[in-house]
Every structure is written in C-alpha cells, then in structure tokens.
Amino acid sequence: MNEARKATMTIDREFKIAEVDERIYGSFIEHLGRAVYGGIYEPGHPKATAGGYRQDVIDLVKELQVPIVRYPGGNMVSAYNWEDGVGPLEDRPKRLELAWRVLEPNHVGTNEFVDWAKLADTDVMMAVNLGTRGIDAARNLLEYCNHPEGSYWSDLRKEHGYAAPHAIKTWCLGNEMDGPWQVGHKTADEYGRLASETAKAMRLVDPTIELVACGSSNINMPTFPQWEATTLDHTYEDVDYISLHQYYGNRSNDSASYLAKTLDMDRFIETVIATCDYIKAKKRSKKKMYLSFDEWNVWYHSNEADRQLEPWSVAPPQLEDVYNFEDALLVGSMLMSFLRRADRVKMACMAQLVNVIAPIMTENGGDAWRQTIFFPYMHVSVFGRGTSLQPVIQSPTYDTKEYTDVPHLDSAVVFNEEADELTIFALNRHLEEALDLHIDVRGFEGYRIAEHIVLENGDLKAVNTAGKQSVQPHRNGTSKLEDGRVTARLSNASWHVLRLKASSE
Ligand code: AHR
C-alpha cells in the first residue's frame, strides 16, 4: 500500500460505554404518502399475504432486523381519531387528514398494524393524539389495546376479533408539540401539564407501560432547549424518555459540511442529556431520563415535488426521497452517534421505513427495492448488537463552511462478548483521499478479520432505482491483522464494517 493519511484507534474491551439497546435500530410508519397504502399494505398485490400485507416488504424489513416501529404518526397523529381505524372495514369513515392534506380511508388501523408488526417480527411503539384530543382518547386507546377483558374498550377489541391484548409497551405522548405546524400545537407549559396528566391516567390503566415525552422537533427550534427543560419540569417523574427528532439535507451541495452534520447531532444529544440532568438535579430526583431519538434521517430531495401535489387524494407519492451515496454515508454516521451515547440513547427510529423518506421503496403492483441508505442501516442494526466501546481515536481533521475540526475518521465500536465478535464501523469523510486506519486490538488475542464490508462509489450522487442497484456494499475491503494491530485502507468518502471474530482453531 502507498502511504495515505493516517488515523489511529485503540480498542480495549474494558472501555465500556454501555450495552446497546437494540431498540436504537427502530423505525417508523406513519399514515403518510405510500407508507401504509402501497407500502406495507396492498391487497391484490401478487406478493400480498391473505391479510393484504406485502410479503416482499416484510422480507426486507426482516433483513434490516427492525426491533420496534413507531405508529401511526408523526404529524398525522395530532388530528387522528383512533376509533376510526378499528371495527368492520365497511363502517370506517373516510377523513380529511389535516397534517398532509390527503384522504385517509382508514382501511389500516391499530389492529391491522399490530398484525403487520407480528408478521415483520417487530414491536409497536404507539403514539397518542395530544393535539386535538387528550387524556380521554389516550386512556381509551390504551384500554382497548392492553386491558385483558371485561371493560367497554377491551371487550370491543375482543368483538373486533382480537381476544388477546396487544400488550404494547411503549407509548409516545403526542408528536412534535413544539412545532407551530402541528395541529393542536402547544406551549411547553401547556404540553407539559397535559403530558403529565395523560401519563398519570395511562399508568392507572396499565402500570407496565413506558412513556416518551415530546422533546424538540429539531436542534434549530427557537424554543430548544427551554422546551425540554419546561416539559421535563412538569413530567420528570411521569415519563421514561424524552424524544429528539432531526433531519438533514445537502441543499447547498456542500458535501464536506454535509458529512460533518453528525457533529451537530452529537451536540444535540449532549445538550438534551445536560438538560435532563439539570432537571434531575433541580428536582433532587434519583431517576435517570433516557433519550428516544424517534425520528431521524436525511430528508430534502422530495421537498419540491411535494409542493406540487394537489390535496385530498388517497396515498399520493409524498416525501419520496431517492437517496444517493453520500446520504448513505451520513446515515451510517448518524447511527454511530447513537452508539457513542448508548448509555442514554435507548430508542431511535429511522424515519421512515417504506416509501416515505425510507430505506425500502415499492412500486404499486410491482417490486420492492433497497435505497442506498438501506445498507448502513442494515449493517449497524445487524452487527451493532452487544456493548458499545469507547475507542481512543486520533484522526486528522478538516474545516468546512459550517464546521471546524471535523475528524476525517468517524467511528463506533461494538463488542459482542457472547458471539466473540468485535465490530468496527468507520466512515472516511475525506472526499478525495484515502485514510489508513491503524487499530490496536492487542486485547483481543486470537481474533481474526472475519469480514471487511465496504460501501464506496466514485459518484457521491449515485442512486439506486427500482431496476438498478448502483450503490451496493462489497466484501473486498483492504485490511490485515498482524500482531494485534489491524491496518485498513479506507478509500475516499467510504463506509466500512470491519468484523473481527475469535478464531475457532
Ligand atoms: O417523518 C415525517 C414528519 O417529520 C413527521 O410526521 C413529523 O413528526 C416530522 O416533522
């Protein structure tokens, strides 16, 4: 190998951040665009199950090993009547869906989504409407879902064909209530009081649930982080998580800054943790607040097309970002941010899962296919289970229009002690030059490189389409392990998964 820029990393199995909560590999399905209708549900499609769920989509969701899916919104939940989506199909009303200005036929509702989640091997994270509704609708929905029987709402569920309770554990108290675009938008005091009282009623129905309070819609909200402080002042002892949402885009076509966006994301996470801990101290509480990063992704390609859509159609193609190669790099980097704070980030949902800003796309009546961002998501979800370790890293840095001192190397490390596997995720942010990564793994005696997966492409703007998968990982990474040291060549702008395993002989 010729000399290239050099970064070093030291990994020690004792430098533990925390056990990775697999729910950080969650995702999100909203009644929006073709996520539900034409995405997970398309009766009559050649690959549909008897219930109308697309098996080809389920297979791809299983490839991603998605442990939990947030539902039914999103902005949509803030004007949603959950009762519209249960009971005989022919009785379900068509409604004006206000968040995305479409017609909602309500052919899929709570029970159908729970059925789908079972087929896809995933759990449901349910959001309640704290926009147009409140305590009553939330406690009734919980009773409908989780109470065994003998009450009005639980018996109605049984009448609807679901004898066993759905046992949904995780519940979101509204969605982005800080956002002026939200139907029923509230001030932090209004929301905090409502969330606290809703939490109280819901826990009386089912004390085993976990609750997520709404944090800010993104780091640039003018009310951030005071929103978190005020909300938690009202709810600290009532909830288990505070949510974070963040989307990025490369609108100014400045890829050097774009790949550094996770510096911003790390700062977002750190600030929310600091705010949680401030309220904890203020309240002399013993409880630790955890983070649910329950919407994150790249979102900007489809903005213009969405502005052209006429309102009030059923399942139009909304938010159908076609992702390119550099988006995949940023997605890998965002996932590594969660691993670095695995001690506090316990849930995260890639928004969303199918057709709407999604790793999985479908054609109505046709095939399902993988977007570029599918691959880093799959890699970290499948191989990033175990204990997140804190590597000691030295990397050259660069400056961009938006950031200074950006490390060329972005990385996270997960050790799976049971499987005797060490996985190093790495991104070379340098757009033109390779980076030689030297990793000290002397504490992992007897390990060998099992696999070096690479996602690279000469064109940052390369995309996948239904017929052509131009961006795909390969397994021919250049790396070797000698005397407890790994040397790996990371080509310019590339994503890597280095999997080390204890030798069997
Ligand atoms: O995921 C798309 C939208 O982004 C969600 O409905 C909303 O919560 C966020 O603003």
Side-chain angles (χ1 to χ4, degrees), residues 281-312:
K282 189 178 164 203
K283 292 189 171 292
R284 315 303 193 246
S285 174
K286 290 194 164 53
K287 174 179 176 179
K288 195 182 272 185
M289 186 62 56
Y290 291 103
L291 275 52
S292 172
F293 213 123
D294 47 42
E295 283 189 36
W296 68 272
N297 204 348
V298 170
W299 174 15
Y300 75 106
H301 298 286
S302 58
N303 294 164
E304 192 44 47
D306 288 340
R307 280 189 272 275
Q308 317 293 330
L309 288 171
E310 291 294 324
W312 315 129

PDB file of all heavy atoms in Angstrom, residues 281-312:
ATOM      1  N   ALA A 281     -31.322  17.272  38.755  1.00  0.00           N
ATOM      2  CA  ALA A 281     -30.679  17.909  39.908  1.00  0.00           C
ATOM      3  C   ALA A 281     -31.656  18.862  40.591  1.00  0.00           C
ATOM      4  O   ALA A 281     -31.773  18.893  41.824  1.00  0.00           O
ATOM      5  CB  ALA A 281     -29.429  18.655  39.443  1.00  0.00           C
ATOM      6  N   LYS A 282     -32.379  19.628  39.776  1.00  0.00           N
ATOM      7  CA  LYS A 282     -33.330  20.604  40.319  1.00  0.00           C
ATOM      8  C   LYS A 282     -34.383  19.917  41.182  1.00  0.00           C
ATOM      9  O   LYS A 282     -34.800  20.421  42.214  1.00  0.00           O
ATOM     10  CB  LYS A 282     -33.978  21.326  39.136  1.00  0.00           C
ATOM     11  CG  LYS A 282     -34.822  22.503  39.507  1.00  0.00           C
ATOM     12  CD  LYS A 282     -35.373  23.171  38.262  1.00  0.00           C
ATOM     13  CE  LYS A 282     -36.512  24.088  38.675  1.00  0.00           C
ATOM     14  NZ  LYS A 282     -37.431  24.344  37.598  1.00  0.00           N
ATOM     15  N   LYS A 283     -34.803  18.727  40.735  1.00  0.00           N
ATOM     16  CA  LYS A 283     -35.865  18.018  41.450  1.00  0.00           C
ATOM     17  C   LYS A 283     -35.320  17.081  42.520  1.00  0.00           C
ATOM     18  O   LYS A 283     -36.085  16.356  43.146  1.00  0.00           O
ATOM     19  CB  LYS A 283     -36.703  17.215  40.452  1.00  0.00           C
ATOM     20  CG  LYS A 283     -37.509  18.110  39.532  1.00  0.00           C
ATOM     21  CD  LYS A 283     -38.477  17.319  38.715  1.00  0.00           C
ATOM     22  CE  LYS A 283     -39.423  18.227  37.968  1.00  0.00           C
ATOM     23  NZ  LYS A 283     -40.373  18.960  38.824  1.00  0.00           N
ATOM     24  N   ARG A 284     -33.985  17.082  42.687  1.00  0.00           N
ATOM     25  CA  ARG A 284     -33.354  16.137  43.640  1.00  0.00           C
ATOM     26  C   ARG A 284     -33.842  14.714  43.347  1.00  0.00           C
ATOM     27  O   ARG A 284     -34.146  13.937  44.251  1.00  0.00           O
ATOM     28  CB  ARG A 284     -33.679  16.466  45.099  1.00  0.00           C
ATOM     29  CG  ARG A 284     -33.586  17.916  45.554  1.00  0.00           C
ATOM     30  CD  ARG A 284     -32.239  18.539  45.326  1.00  0.00           C
ATOM     31  NE  ARG A 284     -32.089  19.788  46.031  1.00  0.00           N
ATOM     32  CZ  ARG A 284     -31.958  20.980  45.432  1.00  0.00           C
ATOM     33  NH1 ARG A 284     -31.998  21.082  44.104  1.00  0.00           N
ATOM     34  NH2 ARG A 284     -31.757  22.053  46.141  1.00  0.00           N
ATOM     35  N   SER A 285     -33.968  14.399  42.053  1.00  0.00           N
ATOM     36  CA  SER A 285     -34.521  13.100  41.673  1.00  0.00           C
ATOM     37  C   SER A 285     -33.421  12.046  41.586  1.00  0.00           C
ATOM     38  O   SER A 285     -32.274  12.345  41.290  1.00  0.00           O
ATOM     39  CB  SER A 285     -35.210  13.223  40.313  1.00  0.00           C
ATOM     40  OG  SER A 285     -35.634  11.961  39.876  1.00  0.00           O
ATOM     41  N   LYS A 286     -33.794  10.823  41.809  1.00  0.00           N
ATOM     42  CA  LYS A 286     -32.846   9.717  41.675  1.00  0.00           C
ATOM     43  C   LYS A 286     -32.963   9.076  40.297  1.00  0.00           C
ATOM     44  O   LYS A 286     -32.207   8.181  39.935  1.00  0.00           O
ATOM     45  CB  LYS A 286     -33.124   8.663  42.745  1.00  0.00           C
ATOM     46  CG  LYS A 286     -32.777   9.124  44.142  1.00  0.00           C
ATOM     47  CD  LYS A 286     -32.741   7.943  45.110  1.00  0.00           C
ATOM     48  CE  LYS A 286     -32.034   8.283  46.408  1.00  0.00           C
ATOM     49  NZ  LYS A 286     -32.560   9.491  47.061  1.00  0.00           N
ATOM     50  N   LYS A 287     -33.960   9.512  39.564  1.00  0.00           N
ATOM     51  CA  LYS A 287     -34.273   8.850  38.301  1.00  0.00           C
ATOM     52  C   LYS A 287     -33.427   9.403  37.153  1.00  0.00           C
ATOM     53  O   LYS A 287     -33.193  10.605  37.061  1.00  0.00           O
ATOM     54  CB  LYS A 287     -35.743   9.119  38.013  1.00  0.00           C
ATOM     55  CG  LYS A 287     -36.250   8.650  36.712  1.00  0.00           C
ATOM     56  CD  LYS A 287     -37.718   8.983  36.644  1.00  0.00           C
ATOM     57  CE  LYS A 287     -38.296   8.613  35.311  1.00  0.00           C
ATOM     58  NZ  LYS A 287     -39.725   8.920  35.275  1.00  0.00           N
ATOM     59  N   LYS A 288     -32.997   8.511  36.266  1.00  0.00           N
ATOM     60  CA  LYS A 288     -32.247   8.957  35.075  1.00  0.00           C
ATOM     61  C   LYS A 288     -33.205   8.998  33.891  1.00  0.00           C
ATOM     62  O   LYS A 288     -33.934   8.034  33.649  1.00  0.00           O
ATOM     63  CB  LYS A 288     -31.114   7.968  34.797  1.00  0.00           C
ATOM     64  CG  LYS A 288     -30.084   8.527  33.824  1.00  0.00           C
ATOM     65  CD  LYS A 288     -29.005   7.502  33.527  1.00  0.00           C
ATOM     66  CE  LYS A 288     -27.871   7.570  34.529  1.00  0.00           C
ATOM     67  NZ  LYS A 288     -26.757   6.673  34.185  1.00  0.00           N
ATOM     68  N   MET A 289     -33.203  10.103  33.157  1.00  0.00           N
ATOM     69  CA  MET A 289     -34.059  10.225  31.980  1.00  0.00           C
ATOM     70  C   MET A 289     -33.288   9.707  30.774  1.00  0.00           C
ATOM     71  O   MET A 289     -32.112  10.033  30.589  1.00  0.00           O
ATOM     72  CB  MET A 289     -34.439  11.694  31.777  1.00  0.00           C
ATOM     73  CG  MET A 289     -35.439  11.952  30.682  1.00  0.00           C
ATOM     74  SD  MET A 289     -37.045  11.160  30.964  1.00  0.00           S
ATOM     75  CE  MET A 289     -37.509  11.815  32.568  1.00  0.00           C
ATOM     76  N   TYR A 290     -33.945   8.909  29.953  1.00  0.00           N
ATOM     77  CA  TYR A 290     -33.308   8.379  28.744  1.00  0.00           C
ATOM     78  C   TYR A 290     -33.845   9.085  27.498  1.00  0.00           C
ATOM     79  O   TYR A 290     -34.864   9.777  27.552  1.00  0.00           O
ATOM     80  CB  TYR A 290     -33.506   6.868  28.667  1.00  0.00           C
ATOM     81  CG  TYR A 290     -32.723   6.154  29.749  1.00  0.00           C
ATOM     82  CD1 TYR A 290     -33.344   5.658  30.891  1.00  0.00           C
ATOM     83  CD2 TYR A 290     -31.343   6.038  29.636  1.00  0.00           C
ATOM     84  CE1 TYR A 290     -32.605   5.038  31.887  1.00  0.00           C
ATOM     85  CE2 TYR A 290     -30.601   5.417  30.637  1.00  0.00           C
ATOM     86  CZ  TYR A 290     -31.239   4.920  31.760  1.00  0.00           C
ATOM     87  OH  TYR A 290     -30.505   4.327  32.746  1.00  0.00           O
ATOM     88  N   LEU A 291     -33.131   8.880  26.389  1.00  0.00           N
ATOM     89  CA  LEU A 291     -33.459   9.586  25.152  1.00  0.00           C
ATOM     90  C   LEU A 291     -34.060   8.621  24.128  1.00  0.00           C
ATOM     91  O   LEU A 291     -33.569   7.493  23.970  1.00  0.00           O
ATOM     92  CB  LEU A 291     -32.197  10.223  24.546  1.00  0.00           C
ATOM     93  CG  LEU A 291     -31.787  11.613  25.071  1.00  0.00           C
ATOM     94  CD1 LEU A 291     -31.685  11.649  26.581  1.00  0.00           C
ATOM     95  CD2 LEU A 291     -30.463  12.054  24.450  1.00  0.00           C
ATOM     96  N   SER A 292     -35.093   9.093  23.454  1.00  0.00           N
ATOM     97  CA  SER A 292     -35.683   8.328  22.362  1.00  0.00           C
ATOM     98  C   SER A 292     -35.556   9.199  21.114  1.00  0.00           C
ATOM     99  O   SER A 292     -36.306  10.160  20.946  1.00  0.00           O
ATOM    100  CB  SER A 292     -37.167   8.051  22.677  1.00  0.00           C
ATOM    101  OG  SER A 292     -37.797   7.474  21.560  1.00  0.00           O
ATOM    102  N   PHE A 293     -34.604   8.874  20.263  1.00  0.00           N
ATOM    103  CA  PHE A 293     -34.372   9.684  19.053  1.00  0.00           C
ATOM    104  C   PHE A 293     -35.322   9.139  17.997  1.00  0.00           C
ATOM    105  O   PHE A 293     -34.895   8.481  17.041  1.00  0.00           O
ATOM    106  CB  PHE A 293     -32.899   9.569  18.625  1.00  0.00           C
ATOM    107  CG  PHE A 293     -32.375  10.830  17.991  1.00  0.00           C
ATOM    108  CD1 PHE A 293     -31.266  11.487  18.509  1.00  0.00           C
ATOM    109  CD2 PHE A 293     -32.998  11.366  16.881  1.00  0.00           C
ATOM    110  CE1 PHE A 293     -30.788  12.660  17.944  1.00  0.00           C
ATOM    111  CE2 PHE A 293     -32.531  12.540  16.300  1.00  0.00           C
ATOM    112  CZ  PHE A 293     -31.425  13.192  16.840  1.00  0.00           C
ATOM    113  N   ASP A 294     -36.631   9.424  18.196  1.00  0.00           N
ATOM    114  CA  ASP A 294     -37.599   8.633  17.441  1.00  0.00           C
ATOM    115  C   ASP A 294     -37.998   9.184  16.066  1.00  0.00           C
ATOM    116  O   ASP A 294     -38.968   8.693  15.469  1.00  0.00           O
ATOM    117  CB  ASP A 294     -38.804   8.235  18.297  1.00  0.00           C
ATOM    118  CG  ASP A 294     -39.405   9.359  19.097  1.00  0.00           C
ATOM    119  OD1 ASP A 294     -39.517  10.444  18.543  1.00  0.00           O
ATOM    120  OD2 ASP A 294     -39.763   9.119  20.274  1.00  0.00           O
ATOM    121  N   GLU A 295     -37.242  10.124  15.551  1.00  0.00           N
ATOM    122  CA  GLU A 295     -37.293  10.461  14.109  1.00  0.00           C
ATOM    123  C   GLU A 295     -35.920  10.977  13.713  1.00  0.00           C
ATOM    124  O   GLU A 295     -35.443  11.962  14.289  1.00  0.00           O
ATOM    125  CB  GLU A 295     -38.345  11.536  13.806  1.00  0.00           C
ATOM    126  CG  GLU A 295     -39.756  11.013  13.805  1.00  0.00           C
ATOM    127  CD  GLU A 295     -40.758  12.039  13.289  1.00  0.00           C
ATOM    128  OE1 GLU A 295     -40.418  12.810  12.367  1.00  0.00           O
ATOM    129  OE2 GLU A 295     -41.866  12.073  13.849  1.00  0.00           O
ATOM    130  N   TRP A 296     -35.311  10.317  12.756  1.00  0.00           N
ATOM    131  CA  TRP A 296     -34.021  10.797  12.238  1.00  0.00           C
ATOM    132  C   TRP A 296     -33.836  10.273  10.822  1.00  0.00           C
ATOM    133  O   TRP A 296     -34.291   9.193  10.488  1.00  0.00           O
ATOM    134  CB  TRP A 296     -32.853  10.345  13.131  1.00  0.00           C
ATOM    135  CG  TRP A 296     -32.636   8.854  13.089  1.00  0.00           C
ATOM    136  CD1 TRP A 296     -33.232   7.924  13.885  1.00  0.00           C
ATOM    137  CD2 TRP A 296     -31.787   8.125  12.182  1.00  0.00           C
ATOM    138  NE1 TRP A 296     -32.817   6.655  13.530  1.00  0.00           N
ATOM    139  CE2 TRP A 296     -31.928   6.754  12.485  1.00  0.00           C
ATOM    140  CE3 TRP A 296     -30.933   8.506  11.150  1.00  0.00           C
ATOM    141  CZ2 TRP A 296     -31.237   5.765  11.802  1.00  0.00           C
ATOM    142  CZ3 TRP A 296     -30.247   7.510  10.460  1.00  0.00           C
ATOM    143  CH2 TRP A 296     -30.402   6.159  10.801  1.00  0.00           C
ATOM    144  N   ASN A 297     -33.197  11.056  10.007  1.00  0.00           N
ATOM    145  CA  ASN A 297     -32.871  10.610   8.645  1.00  0.00           C
ATOM    146  C   ASN A 297     -32.393  11.807   7.828  1.00  0.00           C
ATOM    147  O   ASN A 297     -32.242  12.927   8.339  1.00  0.00           O
ATOM    148  CB  ASN A 297     -34.095   9.994   7.960  1.00  0.00           C
ATOM    149  CG  ASN A 297     -33.722   9.027   6.840  1.00  0.00           C
ATOM    150  OD1 ASN A 297     -32.570   8.959   6.408  1.00  0.00           O
ATOM    151  ND2 ASN A 297     -34.686   8.282   6.352  1.00  0.00           N
ATOM    152  N   VAL A 298     -32.188  11.546   6.540  1.00  0.00           N
ATOM    153  CA  VAL A 298     -31.985  12.590   5.536  1.00  0.00           C
ATOM    154  C   VAL A 298     -33.364  12.869   4.937  1.00  0.00           C
ATOM    155  O   VAL A 298     -34.120  11.930   4.667  1.00  0.00           O
ATOM    156  CB  VAL A 298     -31.030  12.092   4.435  1.00  0.00           C
ATOM    157  CG1 VAL A 298     -31.007  13.059   3.253  1.00  0.00           C
ATOM    158  CG2 VAL A 298     -29.633  11.872   5.010  1.00  0.00           C
ATOM    159  N   TRP A 299     -33.697  14.135   4.755  1.00  0.00           N
ATOM    160  CA  TRP A 299     -34.986  14.483   4.148  1.00  0.00           C
ATOM    161  C   TRP A 299     -34.831  15.827   3.446  1.00  0.00           C
ATOM    162  O   TRP A 299     -34.701  16.834   4.116  1.00  0.00           O
ATOM    163  CB  TRP A 299     -36.086  14.545   5.217  1.00  0.00           C
ATOM    164  CG  TRP A 299     -37.432  15.037   4.752  1.00  0.00           C
ATOM    165  CD1 TRP A 299     -37.871  15.176   3.473  1.00  0.00           C
ATOM    166  CD2 TRP A 299     -38.530  15.454   5.592  1.00  0.00           C
ATOM    167  NE1 TRP A 299     -39.166  15.644   3.462  1.00  0.00           N
ATOM    168  CE2 TRP A 299     -39.594  15.826   4.748  1.00  0.00           C
ATOM    169  CE3 TRP A 299     -38.705  15.535   6.982  1.00  0.00           C
ATOM    170  CZ2 TRP A 299     -40.817  16.286   5.237  1.00  0.00           C
ATOM    171  CZ3 TRP A 299     -39.918  15.991   7.471  1.00  0.00           C
ATOM    172  CH2 TRP A 299     -40.963  16.358   6.601  1.00  0.00           C
ATOM    173  N   TYR A 300     -34.777  15.834   2.136  1.00  0.00           N
ATOM    174  CA  TYR A 300     -34.810  17.114   1.419  1.00  0.00           C
ATOM    175  C   TYR A 300     -35.044  16.937  -0.078  1.00  0.00           C
ATOM    176  O   TYR A 300     -35.560  17.837  -0.729  1.00  0.00           O
ATOM    177  CB  TYR A 300     -33.524  17.927   1.640  1.00  0.00           C
ATOM    178  CG  TYR A 300     -32.280  17.466   0.890  1.00  0.00           C
ATOM    179  CD1 TYR A 300     -31.795  18.182  -0.204  1.00  0.00           C
ATOM    180  CD2 TYR A 300     -31.594  16.338   1.271  1.00  0.00           C
ATOM    181  CE1 TYR A 300     -30.660  17.775  -0.889  1.00  0.00           C
ATOM    182  CE2 TYR A 300     -30.462  15.914   0.596  1.00  0.00           C
ATOM    183  CZ  TYR A 300     -30.003  16.640  -0.480  1.00  0.00           C
ATOM    184  OH  TYR A 300     -28.881  16.221  -1.144  1.00  0.00           O
ATOM    185  N   HIS A 301     -34.717  15.746  -0.615  1.00  0.00           N
ATOM    186  CA  HIS A 301     -34.815  15.563  -2.070  1.00  0.00           C
ATOM    187  C   HIS A 301     -36.233  15.782  -2.603  1.00  0.00           C
ATOM    188  O   HIS A 301     -36.406  16.225  -3.729  1.00  0.00           O
ATOM    189  CB  HIS A 301     -34.366  14.157  -2.455  1.00  0.00           C
ATOM    190  CG  HIS A 301     -32.927  13.863  -2.115  1.00  0.00           C
ATOM    191  ND1 HIS A 301     -31.875  14.378  -2.824  1.00  0.00           N
ATOM    192  CD2 HIS A 301     -32.375  13.100  -1.142  1.00  0.00           C
ATOM    193  CE1 HIS A 301     -30.723  13.940  -2.316  1.00  0.00           C
ATOM    194  NE2 HIS A 301     -31.016  13.164  -1.285  1.00  0.00           N
ATOM    195  N   SER A 302     -37.210  15.409  -1.796  1.00  0.00           N
ATOM    196  CA  SER A 302     -38.595  15.398  -2.307  1.00  0.00           C
ATOM    197  C   SER A 302     -39.359  16.689  -2.023  1.00  0.00           C
ATOM    198  O   SER A 302     -40.531  16.806  -2.401  1.00  0.00           O
ATOM    199  CB  SER A 302     -39.355  14.229  -1.662  1.00  0.00           C
ATOM    200  OG  SER A 302     -39.331  14.381  -0.247  1.00  0.00           O
ATOM    201  N   ASN A 303     -38.723  17.643  -1.350  1.00  0.00           N
ATOM    202  CA  ASN A 303     -39.471  18.835  -0.901  1.00  0.00           C
ATOM    203  C   ASN A 303     -40.207  19.534  -2.034  1.00  0.00           C
ATOM    204  O   ASN A 303     -41.378  19.895  -1.904  1.00  0.00           O
ATOM    205  CB  ASN A 303     -38.535  19.840  -0.215  1.00  0.00           C
ATOM    206  CG  ASN A 303     -37.950  19.321   1.090  1.00  0.00           C
ATOM    207  OD1 ASN A 303     -36.987  19.866   1.605  1.00  0.00           O
ATOM    208  ND2 ASN A 303     -38.504  18.245   1.622  1.00  0.00           N
ATOM    209  N   GLU A 304     -39.511  19.745  -3.162  1.00  0.00           N
ATOM    210  CA  GLU A 304     -40.112  20.486  -4.272  1.00  0.00           C
ATOM    211  C   GLU A 304     -41.294  19.702  -4.874  1.00  0.00           C
ATOM    212  O   GLU A 304     -42.370  20.270  -5.100  1.00  0.00           O
ATOM    213  CB  GLU A 304     -39.035  20.786  -5.340  1.00  0.00           C
ATOM    214  CG  GLU A 304     -39.443  21.777  -6.411  1.00  0.00           C
ATOM    215  CD  GLU A 304     -40.197  23.023  -5.866  1.00  0.00           C
ATOM    216  OE1 GLU A 304     -39.744  23.626  -4.865  1.00  0.00           O
ATOM    217  OE2 GLU A 304     -41.258  23.360  -6.445  1.00  0.00           O
ATOM    218  N   ALA A 305     -41.101  18.397  -5.106  1.00  0.00           N
ATOM    219  CA  ALA A 305     -42.182  17.574  -5.687  1.00  0.00           C
ATOM    220  C   ALA A 305     -43.413  17.610  -4.784  1.00  0.00           C
ATOM    221  O   ALA A 305     -44.555  17.668  -5.273  1.00  0.00           O
ATOM    222  CB  ALA A 305     -41.709  16.141  -5.866  1.00  0.00           C
ATOM    223  N   ASP A 306     -43.198  17.613  -3.475  1.00  0.00           N
ATOM    224  CA  ASP A 306     -44.343  17.619  -2.553  1.00  0.00           C
ATOM    225  C   ASP A 306     -45.137  18.919  -2.624  1.00  0.00           C
ATOM    226  O   ASP A 306     -46.352  18.919  -2.407  1.00  0.00           O
ATOM    227  CB  ASP A 306     -43.860  17.373  -1.113  1.00  0.00           C
ATOM    228  CG  ASP A 306     -43.432  15.933  -0.906  1.00  0.00           C
ATOM    229  OD1 ASP A 306     -43.853  15.079  -1.708  1.00  0.00           O
ATOM    230  OD2 ASP A 306     -42.679  15.668   0.040  1.00  0.00           O
ATOM    231  N   ARG A 307     -44.422  20.000  -2.933  1.00  0.00           N
ATOM    232  CA  ARG A 307     -45.132  21.287  -3.034  1.00  0.00           C
ATOM    233  C   ARG A 307     -46.107  21.307  -4.224  1.00  0.00           C
ATOM    234  O   ARG A 307     -47.048  22.073  -4.242  1.00  0.00           O
ATOM    235  CB  ARG A 307     -44.137  22.452  -3.158  1.00  0.00           C
ATOM    236  CG  ARG A 307     -43.547  22.865  -1.807  1.00  0.00           C
ATOM    237  CD  ARG A 307     -42.748  24.158  -1.924  1.00  0.00           C
ATOM    238  NE  ARG A 307     -41.361  23.917  -2.276  1.00  0.00           N
ATOM    239  CZ  ARG A 307     -40.388  23.637  -1.401  1.00  0.00           C
ATOM    240  NH1 ARG A 307     -40.662  23.587  -0.111  1.00  0.00           N
ATOM    241  NH2 ARG A 307     -39.154  23.414  -1.795  1.00  0.00           N
ATOM    242  N   GLN A 308     -45.861  20.438  -5.200  1.00  0.00           N
ATOM    243  CA  GLN A 308     -46.699  20.425  -6.414  1.00  0.00           C
ATOM    244  C   GLN A 308     -47.961  19.565  -6.263  1.00  0.00           C
ATOM    245  O   GLN A 308     -48.836  19.591  -7.127  1.00  0.00           O
ATOM    246  CB  GLN A 308     -45.926  19.859  -7.634  1.00  0.00           C
ATOM    247  CG  GLN A 308     -44.502  20.320  -7.820  1.00  0.00           C
ATOM    248  CD  GLN A 308     -44.414  21.802  -8.153  1.00  0.00           C
ATOM    249  OE1 GLN A 308     -45.329  22.336  -8.765  1.00  0.00           O
ATOM    250  NE2 GLN A 308     -43.344  22.456  -7.712  1.00  0.00           N
ATOM    251  N   LEU A 309     -48.044  18.775  -5.196  1.00  0.00           N
ATOM    252  CA  LEU A 309     -49.167  17.818  -5.097  1.00  0.00           C
ATOM    253  C   LEU A 309     -50.494  18.511  -4.813  1.00  0.00           C
ATOM    254  O   LEU A 309     -50.562  19.454  -4.023  1.00  0.00           O
ATOM    255  CB  LEU A 309     -48.883  16.800  -3.985  1.00  0.00           C
ATOM    256  CG  LEU A 309     -47.812  15.758  -4.270  1.00  0.00           C
ATOM    257  CD1 LEU A 309     -47.491  14.967  -2.998  1.00  0.00           C
ATOM    258  CD2 LEU A 309     -48.272  14.803  -5.372  1.00  0.00           C
ATOM    259  N   GLU A 310     -51.538  18.012  -5.444  1.00  0.00           N
ATOM    260  CA  GLU A 310     -52.892  18.502  -5.164  1.00  0.00           C
ATOM    261  C   GLU A 310     -53.387  17.830  -3.881  1.00  0.00           C
ATOM    262  O   GLU A 310     -53.122  16.653  -3.662  1.00  0.00           O
ATOM    263  CB  GLU A 310     -53.837  18.116  -6.317  1.00  0.00           C
ATOM    264  CG  GLU A 310     -53.581  18.850  -7.621  1.00  0.00           C
ATOM    265  CD  GLU A 310     -53.862  20.350  -7.513  1.00  0.00           C
ATOM    266  OE1 GLU A 310     -54.803  20.726  -6.796  1.00  0.00           O
ATOM    267  OE2 GLU A 310     -53.120  21.130  -8.143  1.00  0.00           O
ATOM    268  N   PRO A 311     -54.145  18.558  -3.061  1.00  0.00           N
ATOM    269  CA  PRO A 311     -54.619  17.935  -1.820  1.00  0.00           C
ATOM    270  C   PRO A 311     -55.764  16.933  -2.024  1.00  0.00           C
ATOM    271  O   PRO A 311     -56.363  16.886  -3.092  1.00  0.00           O
ATOM    272  CB  PRO A 311     -55.105  19.134  -0.987  1.00  0.00           C
ATOM    273  CG  PRO A 311     -55.414  20.205  -1.961  1.00  0.00           C
ATOM    274  CD  PRO A 311     -54.520  19.973  -3.162  1.00  0.00           C
ATOM    275  N   TRP A 312     -55.982  16.161  -0.992  1.00  0.00           N
ATOM    276  CA  TRP A 312     -57.144  15.281  -0.800  1.00  0.00           C
ATOM    277  C   TRP A 312     -57.212  14.075  -1.730  1.00  0.00           C
ATOM    278  O   TRP A 312     -58.291  13.665  -2.162  1.00  0.00           O
ATOM    279  CB  TRP A 312     -58.469  16.067  -0.851  1.00  0.00           C
ATOM    280  CG  TRP A 312     -58.435  17.347  -0.061  1.00  0.00           C
ATOM    281  CD1 TRP A 312     -58.795  18.580  -0.497  1.00  0.00           C
ATOM    282  CD2 TRP A 312     -58.024  17.514   1.305  1.00  0.00           C
ATOM    283  NE1 TRP A 312     -58.632  19.529   0.502  1.00  0.00           N
ATOM    284  CE2 TRP A 312     -58.153  18.885   1.622  1.00  0.00           C
ATOM    285  CE3 TRP A 312     -57.528  16.660   2.306  1.00  0.00           C
ATOM    286  CZ2 TRP A 312     -57.819  19.424   2.867  1.00  0.00           C
ATOM    287  CZ3 TRP A 312     -57.194  17.190   3.550  1.00  0.00           C
ATOM    288  CH2 TRP A 312     -57.345  18.554   3.810  1.00  0.00           C
TER     289      TRP A 312
END
